[in-house]
Amino acid sequence: MPALIAFVRAVERVNDLVGRAVALLTLGTVLVCFATVYTRYALNTNFIWLQEAYVWQHALVIVLGGAYTMMVGGFVRVDIFYGRMPPRGRATVDILGTLVFLMPFLAVLAWSFWRFFWNGWLADEGSPNEGGLPNWWLLQGALVVFVALTFLQGCALVARSLLVLKGREEFAPRLSHG
């Protein structure tokens, strides 16, 4: 059990750091979007790279913040039973849902995103827009990182659930409220 606890804490420490870091990009997204609008309408000029920069930032927040959102229970659950279940029941549902749905889905994404990233990197793919950002493979690589972080968080969820089934209910995953 100490190994499971250490694993959960390590994975969640990484996802917490990544989640908090990319949360700062939301401010950057707003500032860059403001700069884009200001240069377009107040200065009557347009920078494609600036427009793409805020789109990239927003994409990174969504993609790299996914595992953090999963960790804190921020995804919407569309069910009427899960929230009313005791911790051991939720743990069983979490294990089955992670192994049956999340992991196969991530396997498909990993295969697709890796090819997408690798081909972009080999071609040194850049923006199709004149004056746009180069090195699109960096953004494509963020999709691969998303899969890795989400896989680790899924493993941590299974580990938490196993701990709950072994009587350690303090490891029961957080429920979102709202």
Side-chain angles (χ1 to χ4, degrees):
M1 261 203 309
L4 278 180
I5 293 169
F7 174 75
V8 167
R9 289 189 176 140
V11 168
E12 291 187 351
R13 191 174 312 116
V14 168
N15 279 326
D16 186 60
L17 288 170
V18 171
R20 291 177 188 277
V22 299
L24 296 174
L25 285 176
T26 57
L27 175 60
T29 302
V30 171
L31 294 174
V32 174
C33 184
F34 173 79
T36 301
V37 171
Y38 180 78
T39 58
R40 182 182 304 148
Y41 295 106
L43 303 178
N44 202 25
T45 188
N46 191 23
F47 298 107
I48 299 298
W49 62 268
L50 194 59
Q51 286 179 277
E52 289 183 359
Y54 81 79
V55 172
W56 275 41
Q57 286 177 321
H58 190 228
L60 288 173
V61 167
I62 293 167
V63 170
L64 297 178
Y68 174 83
T69 304
M70 181 179 172
M71 179 184 80
V72 298
F75 288 121
V76 175
R77 293 185 184 271
V78 184
D79 65 66
I80 57 173
F81 302 111
Y82 184 87
R84 294 182 182 148
M85 290 180 171
R88 293 175 62 83
R90 290 194 309 265
T92 302
V93 169
D94 286 339
I95 290 171
L96 291 173
T98 300
L99 297 178
V100 172
F101 298 110
L102 179 65
M103 294 305 180
F105 179 67
L106 289 176
V108 170
L109 289 182
W111 182 75
S112 299
F113 289 167
W114 178 257
R115 288 184 34 227
F116 185 53
F117 160 72
W118 185 252
N119 291 334
W121 183 72
L122 288 175
D124 194 24
E125 186 177 0
S127 174
N129 301 312
E130 182 77 29
L133 292 173
N135 303 326
W136 272 27
W137 53 270
L138 290 169
L139 191 58
Q140 295 162 343
L143 296 171
V144 176
V145 174
F146 160 77
V147 170
L149 292 173
T150 305
F151 172 79
L152 286 172
Q153 191 57 47
C155 291
L157 178 61
V158 169
R160 275 183 168 278
S161 298
L162 289 172
L163 287 165
V164 170
L165 292 176
K166 290 181 181 237
R168 300 289 303 267
E169 288 191 11
E170 71 270 21
F171 285 93
R174 303 171 193 111
L175 290 175
S176 61
H177 300 286

